[in-house]
Amino acid sequence: TGGLGRVAASRLADEGARLALISTDSSRLAAFVDELRLPEERRLARAVDLTSPDGAQAAADAVMAAFGRVDILLHLVGGWTGGKAVWQAPAAEMASMLDQHLWTTFHVAQAFAPLLVANGWGRILAVSSPSASQPPAKSAPYAAGKAAQQALLLALAQELAGSGVTANLLVVRTIDTQHRRERERTAETASWTTPEEIASAIVYLCSDAAGVVNGARLPLHGAP
């Protein structure tokens, strides 16, 4: 139900996909389902807490019950905290970032990857950040969360090699949901990426043509 999730889901719907929409916010989820105007047989919506392994498994069970198979896992859980030096950051902020980025990814991978492997075809995608490999100052909790997520998915990609299933990361600095880059051409906004650009990359990586792309960190930030 965030800015990127809505655009990516809409784009995949336009491509003919059936959608299982997962969010923690049931009211925003219901509003988005109404916006999509998809027939019931092409949509499923569930409010689920993916920081829980039981929540992720419940989501996988619901998708299988509704559609009988899973082909794509698009993991767009976000969240940022920062602004403090390592010695100032509360442990709760580190725990929160690990929950949002590492643990949600771990739980959905455990719940969904076996279903994709059983198909002999599948795509797993998540959005990462340059902070995962080049952590800036005063952002240790976020950088640690994204680095852990990245390591998890790159290891998973190696385990999936030869199965017909791929796992890749889209590396984005700032998601430009307001399209400020088009109106304010600055050194800062030049590295921002629109949700529509990310969605186009997602469509490619979910195609048969991208079957040879596995374990990649695709940079979508236009700057070093």
Side-chain angles (χ1 to χ4, degrees):
T1 52
L4 174 58
R6 295 165 68 89
V7 171
S10 298
R11 178 67 185 275
L12 288 173
D14 290 343
E15 296 285 332
R18 296 179 295 181
L19 301 181
L21 304 165
I22 307 299
S23 172
T24 56
D25 191 320
S26 56
S27 59
R28 291 178 66 185
L29 191 56
F32 181 49
V33 168
D34 288 343
E35 255 181 60
L36 280 173
R37 299 179 182 275
L38 283 177
E40 287 191 15
E41 64 271 16
R42 285 188 57 198
R43 60 175 167 81
L44 169 73
R46 286 287 185 277
V48 172
D49 177 10
L50 295 177
T51 63
S52 155
D54 292 341
Q57 188 59 54
D61 293 343
V63 176
M64 290 299 289
F67 299 138
R69 63 182 289 130
V70 180
D71 298 292
I72 295 166
L73 172 62
L74 183 58
H75 189 50
L76 302 178
V77 173
W80 180 88
T81 189
K84 302 180 183 74
V86 168
W87 61 88
Q88 298 168 325
E93 290 189 1
M94 180 66 78
S96 172
M97 288 294 93
L98 290 172
D99 274 346
Q100 289 186 49
H101 300 295
L102 170 62
W103 287 112
T104 62
T105 308
F106 179 72
H107 295 323
V108 296
Q110 288 208 316
F112 284 93
L115 305 176
L116 298 171
V117 171
N119 293 342
W121 191 99
R123 302 287 185 262
I124 298 173
L125 296 170
V127 174
S128 188
S129 164
S131 296
S133 54
Q134 296 176 310
K138 297 186 176 181
S139 65
Y142 175 74
K146 296 308 284 185
Q149 179 193 50
Q150 179 174 284
L152 174 69
L153 283 182
L154 293 179
L156 177 62
Q158 298 308 305
E159 294 159 3
L160 294 171
S163 69
V165 183
T166 64
N168 292 292
L169 291 153
L170 301 168
V171 183
V172 178
R173 192 178 303 279
T174 299
I175 300 175
D176 187 11
T177 56
Q178 303 301 315
H179 292 247
R180 282 180 53 195
R181 189 188 68 198
E182 298 167 8
R183 305 188 307 273
E184 305 170 25
R185 301 292 295 185
T186 67
E188 180 187 12
T189 62
S191 67
W192 294 5
T193 314
T194 67
E196 290 77 13
E197 290 167 335
I198 300 169
S200 291
I202 288 169
V203 169
Y204 164 67
L205 288 171
C206 289
S207 70
D208 285 330
V212 294
V213 184
N214 184 41
R217 297 174 64 252
L218 184 64
L220 295 177
H221 46 81

